[in-house]
Amino acid sequence: MEKFTQLTGVAAPLPMINVDTDKIYPAVYLKTIKRTGLAQWLFQEIRFKPDGSENPDFVLNQGPYRQAKIIVAGDNFGCGSSREHAPWALIDFGIRCVIAPSFADIFYNNCFKNGLLPIALPKEIIDELMEDAKKGANAVMTIDLESQTISRPDGEKVQFDIDPFRKHCLLNGLDDIGLTEQKGADIAAYESRARGSKPWLFGMTQADG
Amino acid sequence: MAEPRTLFDKVWQSHVIAPQGEGTYLIYIDLHLIHEVTTPQAFEGLKLAGRKVHRPDATIAVADHNIPTSNRKAGIDDPESKLQVDTLERNVEEFGVPYFPVDSINQGIVHIIGPEQGLSQPGMTIVCGDSHTATHGALGALAFGIGTSEVEHVLATQTLIQAPAKNMLVEVNGTLAAGVSAKDVILAIIGKIGTAGGTGHVIEYAGSTFRAMSMEGRMTVCNMTIEAGARAGLVAPDETTFAYVKGRPYAPKGAAWEQALAYWRTLPSDPGAHYDKKAALDASDIAPHVSWGTNPEMVAPITGRVPDPAEIDDPLKRAAVERALQYMQLAPKTPLVEIPVERVFIGSCTNSRIEDLRAAAAIAKGRRVADGVRALVVPGSGLVKRQAEEEGLDRIFRAAGFEWREPGCSNCMSMNNDRAEHGERIASTSNRNFEGRQGPGAKTHLMGPAMAAAAAVTGRLADVRQLG
Ligand code: SF4
């Protein structure tokens, strides 16, 4: 996984609540067996008109926001389907950070597995950041993960919270599976206990009949 | 005395392997269900790293999303759908994962077949790369959806890194009136607590209404728990649960059954256990519900009207309702029963079990699908389909002008050919009414199976209680 240490870029305002993962990445494009090249379908229904041309009203089609690296959005971002295609498409477009008052759980988890940083902040602060994000080419923010700060366009710093383990993994670009494999002995010990106490759970999917 | 614990606490604690950093734990997964849409990239990751599937005997695969529901012998004509299913078949072969082939009677929607085969059992941890994994919580299992990276993690290690959820109690007491189904209960709950009402929590459904509910009904409720933002839904296992699991193909048998049963009886929440959040509804207040907007909290009793955005103060909420009404092409204050439909879909992991088909057939019987309406009935699995045919339900549907199909996800998410036409308005028993969910521009109204059948025969959203 790519490391996340510091990010400086334009923040795009998306003042919508309940942005679901079908909206971020429509179901019809879930047929891909790849995880790259998905930006072309990002926000398809609102980013493009039915004839395939760009919708000029959509923020990511406007001037400096075409290069946005950050999105500032409303409550409950990423609700709905578990599709990891949503963070994959955001990253493929160049978005590495989403800031919102709240996130849906599965989307939130999926972000961390892909080096995308979701930042949850109280609504009053989001309202201010949303105003910042409306400044077009001047909507530049810097996210510093080590110090857990967002530097607003005027230089003021906003502090954010993040789970220490997730922060550690992002900063170092650590692969979860590799980390878990280091706990192999613990897993084996758990399995041997479970084999004793819940034997019916072993061999299960092969034991029809 | 030990601290009283919830059902969730018990299942969670018995699956913790070790702490993994601050506030996160490595937990063990008992059953991993996989399907073709969210696994190709996970298997690719395993291959690149030279890893194996840690426990094929705790993993089972099925293809459901891309599968045609008619003329299956002809195979899958869409090359991308075919590639996804072929990829799954290659992967399960290469990694030795048990698989229900497309032509098997056991094939069906992943969340239908888990309980139906006796694979999903009380007290288990169950995951799938699919948010509606919450369905299996109806059996008292901790079941939740995960992303593809997590699918790869479970395949490789049979574990997940997770932070514990908080406990939320949703209590519904009383008897449901005639014509009110489990779907109406969950739509009413989501309408009340909102699509983010359960975020960060696991919801336990308790109260006499759920005690009296069949397993099918409990599955419908737990299925849509994710639509309330919660990670999982749970119903404490009871005699209804045990009777349902007993004798199913993969359920424990003989001495193992007795041992499992003794364990399952210890699972229900202790009296006095702590919940971080609570909500309650009275069953007698719940009417048949339909959705009018573009997320599952935008619902109302069928006797109601489309809301008026002008009456909403919060600007973001008002904007969301305005956008929803524009997309749905509905005028404020339109009575719901005046909304015409062009398509009806009875199916999906929410409502395609035998009981759902019986409820829809009871309305379809002796009636005709209205002119200009196309109505599909898609059973959840081969076994559901066979049972429905044994009961003659297929004949009732066909005689009424419904199309009787092969099992799969079908029009719920429209990855196969059962896509709505652009802009079509659908009465649907599925779980999501997001923009474009059932096809580009498609306008979804969510409801229960009898309500969907009522919409089919009247050609508009209708109150099933008036059809008798
Ligand atoms: S029926 Fe619909 S919600 Fe259920 S698994 Fe299939 S696509 Fe997902």
Side-chain angles (χ1 to χ4, degrees):
Chain A
M1 185 179 76
E2 209 179 317
K3 287 184 188 176
F4 189 112
T5 50
Q6 212 186 48
L7 172 74
T8 298
V10 168
L14 196 65
M16 295 169 93
I17 53 174
N18 299 320
V19 174
D20 58 76
T21 54
D22 276 76
K23 189 168 274 153
I24 300 170
Y25 190 88
V28 272
Y29 307 109
L30 289 177
K31 291 179 187 175
T32 176
I33 56 167
K34 305 219 164 335
R35 58 175 107 198
T36 51
L38 274 50
Q40 53 181 318
W41 298 304
L42 178 71
F43 290 118
Q44 163 94 24
E45 283 234 1
I46 42 179
R47 191 166 140 219
F48 300 101
K49 296 182 182 169
D51 67 4
S53 65
E54 282 188 358
N55 170 9
D57 297 337
F58 185 64
V59 65
L60 296 180
N61 292 330
Q62 298 166 354
Y65 297 119
R66 289 177 182 278
Q67 270 76 49
K69 291 186 179 161
I70 301 162
I71 285 178
V72 184
D75 252 315
N76 200 25
F77 190 89
C79 61
S81 154
S82 63
R83 64 191 67 161
E84 203 159 319
H85 307 70
W88 293 336
L90 286 163
I91 287 170
D92 196 46
F93 184 87
I95 305 290
R96 293 289 309 276
C97 174
V98 181
I99 309 174
S102 64
F103 293 88
D105 289 330
I106 304 176
F107 176 83
Y108 190 76
N109 269 335
N110 284 342
C111 286
F112 286 103
K113 313 285 177 193
N114 294 283
L116 179 74
L117 175 64
I119 300 178
L121 285 168
K123 197 166 169 309
E124 308 80 66
I125 301 178
I126 297 292
D127 289 345
E128 292 182 19
L129 296 177
M130 191 69 80
E131 288 311 309
D132 289 345
K134 289 177 183 161
K135 294 180 176 160
N138 295 323
V140 175
M141 298 185 193
T142 296
I143 319 285
D144 186 68
L145 181 56
E146 183 57 59
S147 65
Q148 297 178 213
T149 55
I150 303 170
S151 303
R152 298 175 56 187
D154 65 3
E156 198 204 324
K157 286 198 162 77
V158 176
Q159 203 73 32
F160 63 87
D161 281 340
I162 178 172
D163 170 88
F165 175 69
R166 286 175 156 149
K167 175 177 173 180
H168 172 74
C169 292
L170 270 185
L171 281 173
N172 299 292
L174 294 178
D175 155 31
D176 277 354
I177 299 180
L179 282 176
T180 299
E181 282 175 340
Q182 293 170 11
K183 291 229 157 57
D186 291 327
I187 299 171
Y190 178 94
E191 285 176 333
S192 86
R193 279 198 311 277
R195 251 177 225 283
S197 60
K198 301 179 206 168
W200 64 90
L201 296 180
F202 289 79
M204 191 176 68
T205 62
Q206 285 155 343
D208 175 13
Chain B
M1 218 182 79
E3 182 95 344
R5 295 185 298 163
T6 63
L7 166 57
F8 165 72
D9 297 339
K10 293 180 192 183
V11 180
W12 169 266
Q13 287 163 11
S14 70
H15 287 86
V16 169
I17 300 164
Q20 178 76 287
E22 244 174 88
T24 40
Y25 297 84
L26 192 64
I27 64 161
Y28 200 76
I29 301 303
D30 293 326
L31 176 65
H32 189 192
L33 306 163
I34 63 177
H35 65 63
E36 79 276 20
V37 184
T38 52
T39 53
Q41 296 89 345
F43 279 111
E44 185 191 50
L46 287 188
K47 273 180 230 175
L48 287 173
R51 290 178 169 122
K52 290 195 175 62
V53 173
H54 183 69
R55 278 198 54 203
D57 69 312
T59 314
I60 198 145
V62 72
D64 50 8
H65 288 64
N66 286 280
I67 302 299
T69 60
S70 56
N71 193 16
R72 247 184 213 182
K73 290 214 175 60
I76 305 176
D77 57 4
D78 178 287
E80 285 181 293
S81 285
K82 184 169 186 314
L83 177 63
Q84 212 164 49
V85 175
D86 289 349
T87 304
L88 179 71
E89 292 186 343
R90 256 205 322 278
N91 284 329
V92 295
E93 171 88 39
E94 183 176 339
F95 287 88
V97 171
Y99 173 61
F100 288 141
V102 178
D103 58 6
S104 144
I105 183 87
N106 296 322
Q107 184 268 342
I109 305 171
V110 64
H111 308 307
I112 301 288
I113 65 172
E116 175 178 86
Q117 294 286 343
L119 287 159
S120 315
Q121 300 162 16
M124 279 182 155
T125 45
I126 303 175
V127 295
C128 174
D130 195 291
S131 57
H132 292 100
T133 310
T135 313
H136 311 261
L139 291 118
L142 175 60
F144 52 94
I146 56 178
T148 297
S149 296
E150 290 176 311
V151 169
E152 187 180 336
H153 193 278
V154 178
L155 288 172
T157 67
Q158 203 60 32
T159 70
L160 265 183
I161 302 168
Q162 288 273 306
K166 292 187 198 139
N167 282 287
M168 178 168 181
L169 181 71
V170 172
E171 206 173 340
V172 185
N173 282 301
T175 311
L176 296 170
V180 180
S181 71
K183 182 68 161 280
D184 302 309
V185 174
I186 186 62
L187 289 176
I189 291 170
I190 298 165
K192 182 176 168 113
I193 69 176
T195 50
T199 304
H201 293 73
V202 163
I203 295 179
E204 179 174 344
Y205 298 99
S208 63
T209 311
F210 299 113
R211 286 294 128 230
M213 211 178 256
S214 66
M215 287 311 296
E216 281 90 346
R218 294 176 188 182
M219 287 180 221
T220 300
V221 170
C222 287
N223 173 277
M224 287 195 71
T225 301
I226 184 72
E227 263 58 68
R231 269 190 226 174
L234 286 166
V235 176
D238 59 8
E239 296 308 319
T240 305
T241 320
F242 308 142
Y244 176 90
V245 178
K246 192 164 190 186
R248 291 187 181 267
Y250 292 85
K253 306 217 163 42
W257 169 261
E258 295 305 326
Q259 194 183 0
L261 190 61
Y263 169 61
W264 296 344
R265 289 193 194 281
T266 68
L267 292 170
S269 297
D270 300 328
H274 172 75
Y275 292 89
D276 303 279
K277 205 170 173 181
K278 289 185 181 177
L281 268 77
D282 192 335
S284 58
D285 293 343
I286 302 175
H289 272 58
V290 295
S291 70
W292 48 263
T294 51
N295 76 46
E297 76 179 40
M298 295 177 167
V299 290
I302 182 69
T303 48
R305 288 166 184 266
V306 174
D308 185 352
E311 291 168 4
I312 301 171
D313 292 333
D314 181 314
L316 282 187
K317 284 203 178 117
R318 185 169 57 236
V321 170
E322 278 168 354
R323 162 92 203 167
L325 294 192
Q326 186 201 353
Y327 179 86
M328 294 295 289
Q329 293 181 5
L330 289 172
K333 299 192 174 172
T334 307
L336 293 170
V337 291
E338 288 177 11
I339 299 174
V341 301
E342 297 154 282
R343 191 180 178 94
V344 173
F345 171 60
I346 297 172
S348 90
C349 57
T350 315
N351 281 126
S352 64
R353 285 167 281 267
I354 188 70
E355 193 176 90
D356 303 314
L357 302 188
R358 286 181 195 139
I363 298 299
K365 190 167 188 175
R367 295 192 169 93
R368 286 289 305 169
V369 171
D371 286 345
V373 175
R374 183 161 185 206
L376 257 63
V377 185
V378 185
S381 69
L383 290 171
V384 170
K385 179 168 186 262
R386 184 170 73 187
Q387 186 172 351
E389 288 172 354
E390 280 166 10
E391 295 180 16
L393 305 183
D394 59 322
R395 290 192 297 280
I396 294 175
F397 284 123
R398 283 206 174 100
F402 290 79
E403 296 172 37
W404 178 248
R405 297 293 188 87
E406 301 289 334
C409 293
S410 179
N411 199 187
C412 173
M413 196 160 92
S414 303
M415 287 187 74
N416 70 353
N417 284 335
D418 303 336
R419 207 177 344 261
E421 302 295 323
H422 198 281
E424 238 180 346
R425 191 180 293 281
I426 317 171
S428 178
T429 67
S430 56
N431 41 48
R432 287 193 174 134
N433 49 347
F434 298 144
E435 289 182 23
R437 168 80 179 186
Q438 293 189 283
K443 304 192 270 288
T444 302
H445 293 276
L446 302 174
M447 64 197 71
M451 286 284 285
V457 298
T458 57
R460 55 180 170 78
L461 303 188
D463 190 337
V464 66
R465 294 170 299 187
Q466 291 176 358
L467 271 75

